[in-house]
């Protein structure tokens, strides 16, 4: 794989993830599991979503450093810094600048596009092998620590369910309610993201190689 392909895959993958998070928020069907946790906690403590997500990623990165150092690269840092802020910016433009009225058909379309972007985005920067997001490394660590008794796609579902529960707890404690962070989109993402990442990763590996 050429360096140009690797860089383009990393950048495109990170952009897709940022778009995914923003589209899920705009769809109002619930965000992805990791964002659900971070939105719940950031709302509880009064921080911006982007800033809190950056801090959580930094904490997870410490664990990744000791357990799956090969997952760390330039893409890891870029993902940590930019995904949350990309999502904040796009939501700001859509809601405050353009003031798009998200009717039901647009919400459903945003949900479907977001799910594809989520899986494709992670698969892109995993195949690029220039570092992946700290949270995406969690499933790899689970797979490693269980000696592959829990494969990646199942480990991803497990980690997604845990962070959704955390998000619900904090959203409820803040008074925002669970539907401010969790919805049908969250459930779809938690159940299908792992298998879809594996599917797209297999297809992309053939293309890149």
């Amino acid at each position: 794989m050429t360096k140009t392909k690797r860089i383009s895959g990393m950048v495109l993958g990170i952009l897709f993830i940022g778009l995914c998070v923003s589209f899920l928020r705009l769809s109002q069907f619930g965000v992805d599991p990791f964002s659900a946790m971070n939105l719940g906690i950031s709302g509880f403590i009064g921080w911006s979503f982007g800033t809190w997500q950056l801090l959580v990623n930094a904490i997870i990165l410490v664990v990744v450093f000791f357990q799956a150092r090969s997952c760390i690269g330039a893409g890891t840092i870029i993902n940590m810094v930019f995904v949350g802020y990309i999502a904040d910016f796009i939501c700001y433009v859509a809601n405050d600048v353009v003031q798009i009225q998200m009717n039901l058909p647009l919400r459903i379309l945003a949900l479907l596009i977001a799910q594809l972007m989520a899986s494709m985005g992670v698969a892109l920067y995993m195949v690029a092998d220039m570092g992946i997001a700290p949270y995406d490394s969690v499933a790899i660590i689970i797979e490693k620590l269980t000696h592959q008794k829990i494969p990646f796609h199942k480990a991803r579902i497990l980690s997604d369910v845990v962070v959704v529960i955390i998000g619900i707890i904090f959203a409820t404690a803040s008074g925002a309610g669970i539907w401010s962070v969790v919805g049908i989109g969250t459930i779809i993402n938690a159940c299908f993201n792992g298998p879809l990442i594996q599917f797209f990763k297999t297809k992309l590996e053939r293309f890149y190689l």
Side-chain angles (χ1 to χ4, degrees), residues 1 5-17 116-132 197 200-201 204-205 207-208:
M1 185 188 304
K5 277 188 175 182
R6 292 177 65 197
I7 293 174
S8 63
M10 175 193 70
V11 172
L12 191 59
I14 291 170
L15 178 61
F16 275 12
I17 297 300
L116 289 175
M117 284 185 169
S119 307
M120 180 68 82
V122 175
L124 270 167
Y125 64 63
M126 286 183 75
V127 171
D129 194 26
M130 295 188 70
I132 63 178
I197 290 171
F200 284 124
K201 185 170 177 287
L204 286 168
E205 282 173 344
F207 170 76
Y208 273 96

Side-chain angles (χ1 to χ4, degrees), residues 18-34:
L19 287 168
C20 158
V21 175
S22 61
F23 276 27
L24 281 173
R25 288 168 65 178
L26 290 170
S27 76
Q28 300 174 48
F29 284 123
V31 295
D32 66 279
F34 187 53

Side-chain angles (χ1 to χ4, degrees), residues 101-114:
Q101 300 299 313
M102 296 296 293
N103 54 33
L104 185 58
L106 282 179
R107 290 172 60 198
I108 293 172
L109 179 62
L111 172 62
L112 296 175
I113 293 175

Side-chain angles (χ1 to χ4, degrees), residues 97-169:
V97 178
V98 182
Q99 297 183 343
I100 298 175
Q101 300 299 313
M102 296 296 293
N103 54 33
L104 185 58
L106 282 179
R107 290 172 60 198
I108 293 172
L109 179 62
L111 172 62
L112 296 175
I113 293 175
Q115 179 58 62
L116 289 175
M117 284 185 169
S119 307
M120 180 68 82
V122 175
L124 270 167
Y125 64 63
M126 286 183 75
V127 171
D129 194 26
M130 295 188 70
I132 63 178
Y135 178 70
D136 293 326
S137 301
V138 171
I140 295 174
I141 293 173
I142 294 173
E143 183 180 38
K144 174 187 173 183
L145 293 178
T146 60
H147 304 288
Q148 298 185 327
K149 290 181 180 178
I150 302 178
F152 174 83
H153 64 283
K154 291 183 179 179
R156 179 63 185 234
I157 293 173
L158 176 63
S159 61
D160 282 348
V161 170
V162 171
V163 295
V164 165
I165 292 171
I166 294 172
I168 289 173
I169 291 171

Side-chain angles (χ1 to χ4, degrees), residues 78-91:
I78 295 172
N79 191 299
M80 284 174 55
V81 174
F82 288 105
V83 166
Y85 292 115
I86 289 172
D88 277 345
F89 175 73
I90 292 173
C91 286

